[in-house]
Amino acid sequence: MSFDLTSEQRAFRDMMRDFVDTQVAPNAAEYDRLQEFPWKSYDACKSIELPSLGIPEAYGGAGADMVTQAIMAEEVARGCASTAVTILISKLGMLPVMNFGSEELKQAYLPRVASGEIQASYCLSEADAGSDVASMRCRAVRDGDDYVLNGSKYWITNSGISDTYTVFASTKPEARSHGISCFLVEKGWGVEFPKHEDKLGLRASPTGEVVFNDVRVPASHRIGEEGEGFKIAMHTLDRSRPTIGAQAVGIAQAAIDYAGGYMQTRKAFGGPISELQGLRFMLADMAIRTEAARALVYRACSLIDGGDPDHNLSYVGAAAKSFASDTAMSVSTDAVQLLGGYGFTKEFPVERFMRDAKITQIYEGTNQVQRVVISKFLLK
């Protein structure tokens, strides 16, 4: 296993840094303030074909390796965590199609996601069934050549923006996790979006409720077999959590970059505060944790690229996601501290980094759930 990037990956990283600094980061504060979808930044990402990275070449994508996808997620999140999510969520919504869907579904949807023509969302969580997925109440009942879908999904990223929704619903409630099935639902089939949440962070990424009232879904849009939904959901999250870790690393790196620059210009006690050893050590510790998080994220991504031969992905992916997100939270909090009173104002971006970091500890499985996954692996 190589612990360094290839020359192609380094070149891609350098290109992404320039792109984000000029096309994404300048828009972040205003979209955050307005709580609006970052269309200008998303369109810029489309212009360099970022939505195609995670889609196989056979379906119009770039077929990039997972480490390269992690580099993309990190660099975009360094400029705007909300914009990074716009790319990551469509990949998450399409992973079940890529790995379990019919050829017809792949041909119909993957090329359109790759081009950025459409976006996708992933509908697993419910008001009373987030970490406890088996308790979901959303139902899908077979009716001839269709399923009739009823229920609500909560905390759905890109609610109302996405064109397709990968929905997990119970087709056999008494079987709990073994009775869950997966469906690809188009927005225009009667899906409702009653509200968006007013969130602490990631405010330019809409999060809301998605409601299905007698929505008819063709049986051809079931992904996998009946009862395979829970397996599909867990398989998918194992392969998406490392990129949430990459998003967290990007937020942490942004906090380090800004705090370090500030320390060299802010003067106190007769010189720049970068000369104060206590503060220098804070910055060094921030960097140490972030480098460790980045290495763990790349390790998890390399397992996906290598096919997970030792079946360690659930464990390493959970470790990468939880460690990187905990790091992002601690590092961004330290950045606020380094800026003092200025860090507590919206004139400076570090408070946004701290707000955005928090969600990485929560979505795609809270860090407490990740520790359940890790401990099960260790005590099996």
Side-chain angles (χ1 to χ4, degrees):
M1 173 184 171
S2 172
F3 287 90
D4 198 8
L5 302 180
T6 66
S7 58
E8 291 82 4
Q9 289 167 338
R10 287 196 295 274
F12 177 74
R13 180 198 59 197
D14 294 344
M15 181 277 292
M16 284 298 308
R17 286 180 178 173
D18 291 341
F19 166 78
V20 168
D21 287 345
T22 58
Q23 302 297 317
V24 175
N27 309 322
E30 185 68 0
Y31 279 122
D32 175 81
R33 184 182 70 82
L34 296 173
Q35 296 191 72
E36 289 184 0
F37 185 87
W39 282 111
K40 185 176 180 180
S41 298
Y42 178 71
D43 288 342
C45 290
K46 279 175 44 178
S47 73
I48 60 169
E49 302 180 350
L50 294 189
S52 75
L53 284 189
I55 306 298
E57 290 183 272
Y59 301 99
D65 61 83
M66 279 299 300
V67 173
T68 297
Q69 292 178 55
I71 293 169
M72 180 274 294
E74 176 186 340
E75 292 301 327
V76 177
R78 185 178 56 81
C80 176
S82 292
T83 300
V85 173
T86 68
I87 308 298
L88 297 179
I89 191 61
S90 284
K91 165 76 181 297
L92 175 62
M94 286 294 108
L95 271 172
V97 176
M98 283 188 266
N99 293 316
F100 298 93
S102 66
E103 186 61 27
E104 289 73 19
L105 286 180
K106 293 175 183 178
Q107 294 284 356
Y109 293 98
L110 293 180
R112 298 166 68 197
V113 169
S115 69
E117 174 192 346
I118 64 173
Q119 298 181 59
S121 285
Y122 186 82
C123 298
L124 181 62
S125 294
E126 298 183 6
D128 298 314
S131 298
D132 182 12
V133 173
S135 296
M136 71 172 55
R137 297 180 180 177
C138 192
R139 300 287 184 260
V141 178
R142 185 71 182 252
D143 182 25
D145 291 334
D146 297 335
Y147 286 86
V148 179
L149 197 58
N150 281 283
S152 299
K153 294 292 181 178
Y154 275 72
W155 323 118
I156 304 307
T157 301
N158 254 21
S159 168
I161 296 290
S162 289
D163 306 276
T164 70
Y165 295 82
T166 300
V167 182
F168 295 86
S170 180
T171 47
K172 192 176 181 181
E174 66 274 15
R176 288 184 57 78
S177 64
H178 297 290
I180 297 171
S181 301
C182 183
F183 304 89
L184 188 66
V185 183
E186 291 194 13
K187 178 180 180 178
W189 293 349
V191 183
E192 301 169 24
F193 311 97
K195 62 170 291 191
H196 282 152
E197 302 296 337
D198 185 5
K199 308 195 301 292
L200 170 72
L202 228 62
R203 291 170 67 83
S205 170
T207 301
E209 184 181 6
V210 178
V211 176
F212 309 93
N213 286 316
D214 291 330
V215 172
R216 300 191 73 87
V217 181
S220 62
H221 278 61
R222 188 186 69 222
I223 301 172
E225 300 299 324
E226 277 198 12
E228 288 188 337
F230 185 80
K231 178 185 75 173
I232 293 170
M234 296 304 106
H235 182 277
T236 298
L237 291 175
D238 279 347
R239 285 152 183 79
S240 65
R241 283 171 178 155
T243 52
I244 297 301
Q247 179 194 22
V249 169
I251 296 169
Q253 189 62 56
I256 292 169
D257 293 345
Y258 198 90
Y262 177 85
M263 288 170 63
Q264 295 178 77
T265 59
R266 176 75 163 96
K267 289 183 169 52
F269 307 106
I273 63 173
S274 59
E275 294 179 357
L276 300 175
Q277 187 181 69
L279 303 188
R280 294 170 72 95
F281 283 8
M282 276 184 68
L283 190 68
D285 284 339
M286 292 158 66
I288 290 167
R289 293 196 296 271
T290 301
E291 287 293 347
R294 181 178 288 115
L296 190 51
V297 166
Y298 288 178
R299 164 68 173 146
C301 289
S302 71
L303 283 181
I304 299 172
D305 288 334
D308 189 24
D310 297 320
H311 307 291
N312 290 338
L313 178 58
S314 292
Y315 161 60
V316 178
K321 190 268 187 189
S322 56
F323 184 76
S325 57
D326 286 346
T327 295
M329 194 69 238
S330 65
V331 166
S332 59
T333 301
D334 283 348
V336 171
Q337 189 72 21
L338 284 169
L339 266 70
Y342 291 117
F344 201 65
T345 71
K346 290 187 179 293
E347 183 179 353
F348 295 83
V350 289
E351 61 84 30
R352 171 166 51 87
F353 302 154
M354 185 175 72
R355 290 187 287 107
D356 287 347
K358 186 60 194 175
I359 191 58
T360 65
Q361 295 179 303
I362 297 171
Y363 63 8
E364 294 205 24
T366 67
N367 284 4
Q368 287 69 39
V369 168
Q370 305 312 313
R371 285 162 169 80
V372 170
V373 172
I374 293 166
S375 60
K376 282 184 177 179
F377 182 90
L378 296 173
L379 299 172
K380 62 185 177 181

